[in-house]
Amino acid sequence: MTDPEMTEREFDLTRRSFIDRVLMATAGAGMAAMAPWASAAVATEPTKSNPVRLGVIGTGDRGRALIQNIAKTRNCTVVAICDTYAPHLAKGRALVDAATRSFADHRAMIDAGGLDAVVIATPLDRHARHCFDALDAGLHVWCEKAMARTIADCSAMVTRSRAAGKVLQIGHQRMFHPTYLNALKRARAGEIGTLTQIRASWHRNNSWRRTVPADATDRQINWRLYRDSSAGLMTELATHQIQVGNWFLDAVPTRVMGSGNICFWKDGREVYDHVALIYEYAGGQKLIYTSLLNNARYGCEEQIQGSKGTIEPELGRIYQEVPAKVLALQRMQKDVARGHKRTVPIGGATWFPELPVTTPGQSLGWGEYDETMLQFEGFGEAVRAGKPLPGLLAQAYHASVASLLGEQAMDRGEAMTWPTNLVAI
């Protein structure tokens, strides 16, 4: 949210510094292959003149956050909003100009015209339908992750956007985050050696259930807890970190196995509140993922593990491997062989557990980066050019497929192999 007391000049400086960091993080031939969209997204300064006109479908919590980020951009403006739930629509109206049109039906908003693109921030099971309606009307689409409730719909969204010749961009903002871009650049440069494993988690300690107002239904407000509208932790949280895993490993999984349960919140929900999965890649690398709703100690994190070090991009740190400590018994054997003597503590430790390394590591660069704002500026430039930013849709598509495949693996209790009938991107 932009500080109301921040002057235009101060905001310009903040934004310029931010984009300079992105340019620095994406500099170099190595990054051109891993994040081909990056230079295109920030190489030219977006202009306020003739902004891309957006209609936002869904003004719940996430939709309103997107509206606030769009307001910071130089090349996009919200000219219409839509929500089927009147209280959400009223909250959305409070964030936009009085002249901004509001609708209770997305088709009415599309039919009213005056749009270049739509922003979809609705429950997951509605993404595909809203996307199709916008594409059929000749509009570009920015859609929240995950892409859709089924793998078939994810594929159809890609196919329909291509057939329409329109941009389809999915909200994976970590691909616009300077810290993550710098982390990826350093991993590609070999600073942490050969990558063999990624551990990722998103742990919370709350029910994820919201209070239902008198004028709404539980499924309307708590749609994330029901199978017909969401895959729960997999589509709402895991999608982000699976994308990070695929991104750093520069691959998609070959198979996934996992276990999911309603382990703690036995309150009538249908989606798992505790998941644990292993995604396996062709080279033997693995992404180990856990998410749960009854312990927040480790929160949201990724650990990119290589033979020479570890990167934790969520925390903005890079760590180098340190030599293992010589165990006490091994040291005593060497002393005896050399004829050396030293005091041996009676009852003292003869084995030291291999505890986590606690060195502070090095910073990858940190700050209040506005990656959500930048992804909309990138989208605006893509709409103006009539051409999607390269690489983004493939990352989002594969992350969504992987999250839904993980759900299938847990449901069936068996390893699921990567589909062979996906759309080639």
Side-chain angles (χ1 to χ4, degrees):
M1 183 182 300
T2 304
D3 185 342
E5 296 182 359
M6 180 180 286
T7 66
E8 181 86 2
R9 174 64 177 162
E10 287 171 335
F11 178 65
D12 286 349
L13 291 173
T14 300
R15 184 187 174 286
R16 184 67 257 169
S17 174
F18 166 59
I19 289 181
D20 284 345
R21 284 178 176 267
V22 176
L23 288 169
M24 289 169 54
T26 57
M31 284 305 298
M34 293 311 303
W37 58 267
S39 295
V42 297
T44 59
E45 187 75 12
T47 175
K48 288 182 178 179
S49 62
N50 192 29
V52 173
R53 300 166 300 172
L54 304 178
V56 178
I57 306 175
T59 55
D61 287 348
R62 185 56 183 166
R64 295 195 299 275
L66 297 179
I67 289 171
Q68 291 172 317
N69 275 278
I70 293 167
K72 301 175 186 178
T73 67
R74 293 294 188 85
N75 58 353
C76 296
T77 185
V78 174
V79 298
I81 60 175
C82 168
D83 202 294
T84 58
Y85 185 49
H88 282 173
L89 188 61
K91 291 179 180 179
R93 278 198 297 264
L95 298 175
V96 296
D97 294 336
T100 303
R101 296 167 294 161
S102 60
F103 300 85
D105 181 87
H106 75 282
R107 285 174 293 268
M109 183 182 77
I110 291 171
D111 291 342
L115 302 176
D116 299 307
V118 300
V119 173
I120 300 171
T122 54
L124 179 63
D125 62 313
R126 302 176 195 174
H127 284 187
R129 180 74 266 155
H130 292 157
C131 176
F132 298 155
D133 288 345
L135 292 172
D136 291 347
L139 300 176
H140 302 278
V141 174
W142 187 99
C143 181
E144 262 297 351
K145 61 87 206 135
M147 286 183 69
R149 183 63 187 90
T150 67
I151 293 176
D153 274 347
C154 292
S155 299
M157 288 169 68
V158 175
T159 302
R160 293 279 281 268
S161 67
R162 285 178 168 177
K166 297 298 177 181
V167 174
L168 171 61
Q169 185 170 316
I170 309 300
H172 280 279
Q173 63 267 28
R174 282 167 175 78
M175 288 189 286
F176 289 80
H177 198 306
T179 300
Y180 276 81
L181 291 168
N182 190 27
L184 184 62
K185 179 181 178 181
R186 295 179 71 166
R188 289 285 163 245
E191 290 192 33
I192 61 170
T194 301
L195 305 189
T196 55
Q197 178 172 284
I198 296 174
R199 295 199 309 179
S201 64
W202 202 322
H203 297 172
R204 293 175 172 177
N205 197 345
N206 60 66
S207 71
W208 217 8
R209 181 176 289 284
R210 301 183 179 191
T211 301
V212 180
D215 61 352
T217 66
D218 187 55
R219 285 182 177 270
Q220 187 177 9
I221 300 300
N222 290 305
W223 58 270
R224 292 176 181 84
L225 304 183
Y226 293 96
R227 283 295 188 103
D228 58 352
S229 50
S230 174
L233 297 172
M234 295 307 298
T235 47
E236 308 310 317
L237 300 183
T239 322
H240 276 303
Q241 294 172 298
I242 294 172
Q243 182 273 312
V244 170
N246 291 345
W247 199 23
F248 274 81
L249 294 174
D250 192 20
V252 295
T254 55
R255 66 173 186 159
V256 57
M257 59 200 83
S259 173
N261 309 91
I262 300 175
C263 183
F264 186 80
W265 297 102
K266 303 180 186 297
D267 56 1
R269 69 186 60 210
E270 297 173 353
V271 299
Y272 301 137
D273 66 359
H274 185 182
V275 301
L277 304 102
I278 300 174
Y279 287 88
E280 202 169 70
Y281 293 75
Q285 302 98 328
K286 296 172 181 62
L287 165 62
I288 300 172
Y289 184 79
T290 62
S291 186
L292 52 87
L293 291 175
N294 68 292
N295 185 294
R297 169 65 177 85
Y298 291 102
C300 176
E301 63 178 7
E302 300 103 18
Q303 299 164 349
I304 317 297
Q305 298 175 308
S307 57
K308 296 180 181 179
T310 301
I311 289 176
E312 296 182 353
E314 192 73 37
L315 299 176
R317 310 297 294 180
I318 180 170
Y319 305 86
Q320 300 300 323
E321 286 288 291
V322 295
K325 293 179 179 178
V326 178
L327 301 183
L329 288 177
Q330 294 173 330
R331 187 176 62 187
M332 186 171 65
Q333 285 178 328
K334 291 180 180 180
D335 287 344
V336 170
R338 292 196 300 261
H340 292 178
K341 297 180 181 180
R342 73 174 75 208
T343 301
V344 178
I346 301 301
T350 58
W351 175 80
F352 297 97
E354 296 181 76
L355 297 174
V357 176
T358 57
T359 55
Q362 299 174 359
S363 174
L364 290 168
W366 190 250
E368 295 300 319
Y369 298 136
D370 235 344
E371 65 272 13
T372 300
M373 177 272 288
L374 186 59
Q375 70 176 334
F376 276 108
E377 290 202 339
F379 177 64
E381 294 307 292
V383 169
R384 282 176 167 167
K387 184 179 180 180
L389 298 176
L392 290 184
L393 185 56
Q395 286 283 335
Y397 178 47
H398 294 150
S400 288
V401 169
S403 70
L404 293 168
L405 198 66
E407 178 192 31
Q408 293 178 20
M410 292 186 291
D411 287 349
R412 300 181 187 184
E414 62 185 45
M416 299 295 297
T417 58
W418 190 250
T420 58
N421 60 344
L422 298 181
V423 178
I425 300 182

